[in-house]
Amino acid sequence: MSRDLPTQEAVRSALDTVIDPELRRPITELGMLESVEIVGRRVRIRVLLTIAGCPLRGTITRDAEAALTAVDGVDGVDVDLGVMNQEQRDALKEQLKGAGGRRGIPFNDPESLTRVYAVASGKGGVGKSSVTVNLAVAMAAQGLRVGIVDADVYGFSVPALMGITQQPTRVDELILPPVAHGVKVISIGMFVEGNQPISWRGPMLHRALEQFLTDVYFGDLDALFLDLPPGTGDIAISVAQLLPASELLVVTTPQSAAADVAERAGAMAAQTGQGVAGVIENMSWLELPDGTRLELFGSGGGTAVAARLSATLDSPIPLLGSIPLDVALREGGDAGMPLVLQGGGSAAGAELESIASALARRPRGLAGLHLPVSIR
């Protein structure tokens, strides 16, 4: 029984499913598909990459071949790769950034529905970065579009925790962030050689954060996490200035000393006008083989911080969850495989997923948004 020959319509429909791995949009929508040629049962396409050294060219080729091979009547596929010229890149940038390639922070757009969470702590060593990474990955696994800005410039650790080794792709001044576990990530650690330290004063820190928020193309996100450095210094102030609608997630451990400094980190919201989405207690207990709990760092710190911030800010601040100690959490971070992706019924993983679900359900709100409603 003879088969019908493939049609242009069927081939182009299949190519609509091929997603650029960095821009996370179809290649047909981005102007990357230059030509489609069908000769009998063989299809040849030419795809234009944004730059000659595109690190994910192999992924695009494989995805295009897989999509076309599945089309009825196709027996062979050829994928030729080219490179956009400057005019084509300019058109792409205008499409991504808006008419005229406007600069600015897209998350400050009144019509933006992105929830921006600044993950803060009063002191280091409370597991703030691990919490940030696992929450972001858990939300992405639920089908949300998520990004991370590693704003801890001096102590950047997010790339390692996410298993990212590649550098961002640059299309002129536009930066395309690497994607890992469904999350778009940018960090100063992607721009330094080896383990070199960063020795910058306040103005340079502010400029770096501003560039991450203006020049990095995240696209439409449901949630953006910023992993802040400990304390209430330059970066925390810059985040409040650059992202006034951002909300703080305060991470603490159960001990009273950590709770005291965590309270100060959250109370900063009273000065900056930011909201506090909630408190997360990390390292809450260690479950022993007999099922009993060993409270290595005491207890009650998270509850105390939430209560004190509620009083200080005159608004109810919830304790979003208490995460137990888990060796797998540390091992996952060392391996670049966040705990929430490992399965296995981990109590810490389940608590992180629960917190992520609670944050995902929080609506952005419609205050200040332009709604297409007319009164007749």
Side-chain angles (χ1 to χ4, degrees), residues 116-157:
V116 181
Y117 294 113
V119 186
S121 67
K123 61 189 291 294
V126 300
K128 171 180 52 59
S129 297
S130 294
V131 168
T132 300
V133 162
N134 277 277
L135 290 179
V137 171
M139 290 177 73
Q142 295 173 19
L144 277 69
R145 298 161 298 182
V146 187
I148 298 177
V149 172
D150 187 357
D152 193 350
V153 174
Y154 297 142
F156 55 84
S157 59

Side-chain angles (χ1 to χ4, degrees), residues 87-106:
E87 182 180 353
Q88 290 166 326
R89 279 197 296 271
D90 288 343
L92 175 62
K93 288 186 296 181
E94 182 172 330
Q95 177 184 353
L96 296 177
K97 299 288 282 184
R102 69 178 185 276
R103 292 174 60 86
I105 300 176

Side-chain angles (χ1 to χ4, degrees), residues 261-316:
V261 291
E263 180 189 354
R264 292 198 290 271
M268 183 178 178
Q271 303 174 20
T272 62
Q274 294 166 282
V276 177
V279 175
I280 298 172
E281 184 182 271
N282 196 25
M283 310 181 194
S284 298
W285 68 83
L286 175 65
E287 186 168 331
L288 300 179
D290 63 2
T292 59
R293 293 180 176 183
L294 176 60
E295 295 176 335
L296 289 169
F297 301 107
S299 63
T303 301
V305 172
R308 293 175 195 168
L309 288 177
S310 296
T312 299
L313 302 174
D314 194 25
S315 177

Side-chain angles (χ1 to χ4, degrees), residues 76-340:
V77 175
D78 296 309
V79 179
D80 295 330
L81 298 179
V83 181
M84 288 183 173
N85 58 34
Q86 188 60 52
E87 182 180 353
Q88 290 166 326
R89 279 197 296 271
D90 288 343
L92 175 62
K93 288 186 296 181
E94 182 172 330
Q95 177 184 353
L96 296 177
K97 299 288 282 184
R102 69 178 185 276
R103 292 174 60 86
I105 300 176
F107 309 109
N108 289 337
D109 191 308
E111 297 186 3
S112 172
L113 295 178
T114 304
R115 276 285 192 184
V116 181
Y117 294 113
V119 186
S121 67
K123 61 189 291 294
V126 300
K128 171 180 52 59
S129 297
S130 294
V131 168
T132 300
V133 162
N134 277 277
L135 290 179
V137 171
M139 290 177 73
Q142 295 173 19
L144 277 69
R145 298 161 298 182
V146 187
I148 298 177
V149 172
D150 187 357
D152 193 350
V153 174
Y154 297 142
F156 55 84
S157 59
V158 171
L161 293 172
M162 293 287 284
I164 297 173
T165 56
Q166 73 183 82
Q167 292 186 327
T169 299
R170 300 195 70 126
V171 181
D172 299 332
E173 75 282 358
L174 194 65
I175 301 172
L176 308 182
V179 181
H181 312 303
V183 179
K184 296 183 177 182
V185 182
I186 194 68
S187 170
I188 197 67
M190 299 171 181
F191 300 91
V192 299
E193 294 289 337
N195 200 29
Q196 292 181 352
I198 305 295
S199 302
W200 291 348
R201 292 187 181 275
M204 292 185 69
L205 296 173
H206 181 92
R207 177 68 188 108
L209 179 61
E210 185 176 33
Q211 185 172 10
F212 282 167
L213 296 173
T214 55
D215 292 349
V216 176
Y217 177 74
F218 284 102
D220 293 328
L221 297 180
D222 295 299
L224 175 69
F225 287 87
L226 291 94
D227 183 24
L228 304 187
T232 55
D234 291 310
I235 288 290
I237 295 171
S238 291
V239 167
Q241 292 174 338
L242 295 170
L243 294 165
S246 60
E247 300 175 278
L248 296 179
L249 285 173
V250 181
V251 179
T252 185
T253 57
Q255 66 192 98
S256 59
D260 288 342
V261 291
E263 180 189 354
R264 292 198 290 271
M268 183 178 178
Q271 303 174 20
T272 62
Q274 294 166 282
V276 177
V279 175
I280 298 172
E281 184 182 271
N282 196 25
M283 310 181 194
S284 298
W285 68 83
L286 175 65
E287 186 168 331
L288 300 179
D290 63 2
T292 59
R293 293 180 176 183
L294 176 60
E295 295 176 335
L296 289 169
F297 301 107
S299 63
T303 301
V305 172
R308 293 175 195 168
L309 288 177
S310 296
T312 299
L313 302 174
D314 194 25
S315 177
I317 306 300
L319 174 63
L320 296 172
S322 300
I323 306 166
L325 283 161
D326 194 324
V327 174
L329 181 62
R330 189 271 304 165
E331 292 175 340
D334 289 344
M337 178 60 65
L339 177 64
V340 293

